[in-house]
Amino acid sequence: MVKTAKTMLKFSRIFLLVILLNTLLFPDSNTLKKAIVEKGELRLFFSKSLSKKSVKHFTLKNPHREIYDFKNTRIAHSRVPLGLGSNVRLAQNNTNTVRVVITGYKYSKPIAYQPLFSNDHYHISLPKNGSTLPAKRYKTTKTKPKKTIKKSKSKNTKSDKLIVIDAGHGGHDTGAIGGGKREKDLVLQISKRLEKQLKKHGYRVAMTRKKDRFLKLPQRTKIADKKNAAVFISIHANSVPKSKRNKIQGVETFFLQKTRDARSQRIAERENKSVLKGTTKLSRSVILDSVLSGPKIVQSNKLAIDVQRRIITNLHTRYQNVKDGGVRHAPFWVLVGASRPSILVEVGYISHPTERKRLFMPRYQELIAKGIAEGVDIYLKNREKEIDI
């Protein structure tokens, strides 16, 4: 016992000496002040804002490990890496890099993001039971749908919540076209499947369109506001020029926010083109600024994270090479008018030959719809817990 105590004291002194040397040698470096596991995430707190360039993520196999390196960063003290559970290892990899190693992922990938207005925080989702189980386990939940719905109705929790689904484009507005396939047709097919999935969970559902017709911007959000919907979901498909069609693919989920990211701006401009006719640049700026100051942006961010995670988890049960484009933000105007948690899901790239073929397969569409519905369900359950607290 005495030797152990002396060893621990010696280790602590060495650790403090390393930190002191780091401070002297790298005065402008960032500091990892705190690390906790909370609500299924590893949450890291830094002394300064993090830039995208300072974080490097990569994957190692055999065994599978997700690695996050935080450059120009040091650990504040020896207690930071403690109490993070069996799936997380955190250490000072070298004098100027903090390394986080996460194990337990197999059929899905972690989602890492910086919360809104908290550039000195960094969150990484941790593996759940479903992340390490084969696809057959997901099917076991099908034995209890009726009981779940009846229970929800009796408690008046799910059946009183309305989810609004907006199938993008329609009518004269075909949306993106790839290989002779049209975005407006694809998103309507997935929206109808999503309607059925949400109803299985016990929610009421309204669709902005159930057939091939064009809706103006105010019409798309009118139902959500008039009926006090809990969530607004707009379904779209992405596209890139011919020169990039074989390179870019994947699923992305967006929430409303201004962005400097050129790729997100390009996607938003393409989707906004048909709904912004007749509006001036000044009026658009005034409206957007007023919406971005509202409280629904933070909730939309949380909704986007839950939905993206479940879509990718479901798709990876059968298509492990599907790219996770992550949660992104951009000024989509179809989300501006909805005064409630709202997201826009880009279900894939219709311009990519392989992904386009999958997107029009019923089985693939069903996995997407199932993932969105599960994400919405998780988000709303978490919201109830937050309200209860």
Side-chain angles (χ1 to χ4, degrees):
M1 290 294 290
V2 175
K3 285 185 177 181
T4 303
K6 287 182 177 179
T7 302
M8 290 298 294
L9 180 61
K10 185 179 179 180
F11 175 79
S12 298
R13 287 174 177 173
I14 293 172
F15 190 90
L16 290 172
L17 180 60
V18 171
I19 298 301
L20 179 60
L21 287 172
N22 278 344
T23 304
L24 294 173
L25 293 173
F26 306 99
D28 295 327
S29 65
N30 207 339
T31 302
L32 178 58
K33 301 188 299 181
K34 183 180 179 182
I36 61 172
V37 172
E38 189 175 66
K39 294 185 178 180
E41 295 179 331
L42 172 64
R43 298 184 175 181
L44 306 174
F45 302 84
F46 296 84
S47 60
K48 299 178 183 179
S49 296
L50 283 173
S51 65
K52 289 184 179 179
K53 293 181 179 179
S54 66
V55 185
K56 181 182 179 183
H57 171 235
F58 57 97
T59 303
L60 296 177
K61 296 182 178 180
N62 299 322
H64 185 102
R65 288 155 290 165
E66 299 288 343
I67 313 295
Y68 289 84
D69 279 350
F70 296 87
K71 303 294 184 181
N72 199 32
T73 305
R74 58 187 177 82
I75 298 175
H77 50 80
S78 58
R79 295 188 302 277
V80 172
L82 303 179
L84 299 179
S86 59
N87 292 120
V88 181
R89 297 197 303 274
L90 189 155
Q92 192 76 43
N93 191 48
N94 56 47
T95 54
N96 208 27
T97 303
V98 171
R99 172 165 289 184
V100 174
V101 180
I102 301 177
T103 58
Y105 276 102
K106 187 174 181 181
Y107 292 98
S108 63
K109 294 181 179 180
I111 295 176
Y113 67 100
Q114 287 179 274
L116 281 175
F117 315 121
S118 301
N119 292 330
D120 56 348
H121 293 189
Y122 198 84
H123 294 188
I124 307 171
S125 65
L126 296 178
K128 297 182 179 180
N129 291 335
S131 300
T132 57
L133 295 174
K136 291 181 180 179
R137 277 295 290 272
Y138 290 97
K139 296 178 182 179
T140 58
T141 56
K142 290 184 178 180
T143 59
K144 298 182 180 180
K146 292 182 179 179
K147 290 183 180 179
T148 304
I149 294 173
K150 286 180 180 179
K151 186 178 179 181
S152 300
K153 286 184 177 180
S154 63
K155 286 188 175 183
N156 198 30
T157 55
K158 288 187 178 181
S159 60
D160 64 340
K161 288 184 174 66
L162 174 71
I163 314 298
V164 173
I165 306 170
D166 171 52
H169 307 283
H172 68 271
D173 178 18
T174 61
I177 298 177
K181 299 290 187 179
R182 303 179 299 187
E183 179 184 356
K184 69 172 184 177
D185 301 325
L186 170 65
V187 297
L188 184 58
Q189 291 170 14
I190 293 176
S191 294
K192 288 179 178 179
R193 293 181 186 278
L194 176 57
E195 178 187 25
K196 292 179 180 178
Q197 286 289 337
L198 287 168
K199 285 182 177 179
K200 284 182 181 179
H201 280 275
Y203 296 106
R204 293 184 298 115
V205 182
M207 295 180 65
T208 59
R209 69 179 182 98
K210 288 192 174 184
K211 56 184 180 180
D212 184 19
R213 68 188 185 106
F214 178 75
L215 295 170
K216 293 181 180 180
L217 181 60
Q219 293 174 285
R220 293 184 182 272
T221 55
K222 184 178 180 180
I223 295 176
D225 287 336
K226 187 177 180 181
K227 297 190 176 183
N228 193 29
V231 166
F232 179 86
I233 305 169
S234 193
I235 308 295
H236 289 257
N238 224 325
S239 178
V240 291
K242 289 184 179 179
S243 60
K244 299 179 180 179
R245 66 184 178 185
N246 291 314
K247 299 177 182 178
I248 301 179
Q249 58 179 309
V251 183
E252 299 159 319
T253 303
F254 289 82
F255 65 98
L256 179 67
Q257 184 62 276
K258 287 182 177 179
T259 182
R260 293 183 181 179
D261 179 60
R263 182 180 168 192
S264 296
Q265 286 179 339
R266 176 187 61 77
I267 295 170
E269 286 172 3
R270 184 180 68 78
E271 299 290 8
N272 290 338
K273 187 176 180 181
S274 62
V275 295
L276 288 181
K277 290 181 180 179
T279 60
T280 66
K281 186 175 181 180
L282 177 61
S283 65
R284 295 200 297 265
S285 179
V286 170
I287 296 170
L288 185 58
D289 286 341
S290 66
V291 174
L292 291 178
S293 63
K296 296 301 180 184
I297 301 302
V298 174
Q299 292 302 324
S300 296
N301 186 7
K302 292 181 179 180
L303 171 62
I305 292 168
D306 289 331
V307 167
Q308 178 71 14
R309 180 184 291 140
R310 293 310 304 165
I311 293 175
I312 296 301
T313 298
N314 275 275
L315 288 176
H316 279 176
T317 61
R318 291 182 179 270
Y319 307 89
Q320 294 187 28
N321 62 340
V322 172
K323 184 178 178 182
D324 181 0
V327 172
R328 307 165 73 88
H329 56 269
F332 286 100
W333 276 83
V334 72
L335 303 181
V336 171
S339 57
R340 60 211 64 256
S342 309
I343 58 172
L344 185 145
V345 181
E346 295 280 3
V347 295
Y349 281 76
I350 201 170
S351 52
H352 190 278
T354 302
E355 192 154 67
R356 177 175 62 247
K357 184 178 179 180
R358 288 176 175 175
L359 283 169
F360 282 88
M361 293 169 58
R363 182 174 65 181
Y364 196 83
Q365 291 182 3
E366 202 64 36
L367 289 172
I368 292 174
K370 186 172 182 286
I372 297 174
E374 288 174 355
V376 169
D377 193 45
I378 290 169
Y379 165 78
L380 290 174
K381 285 178 179 176
N382 288 337
R383 282 290 294 144
E384 287 181 3
K385 291 177 183 178
E386 289 174 9
I387 293 170
D388 289 340
I389 292 169

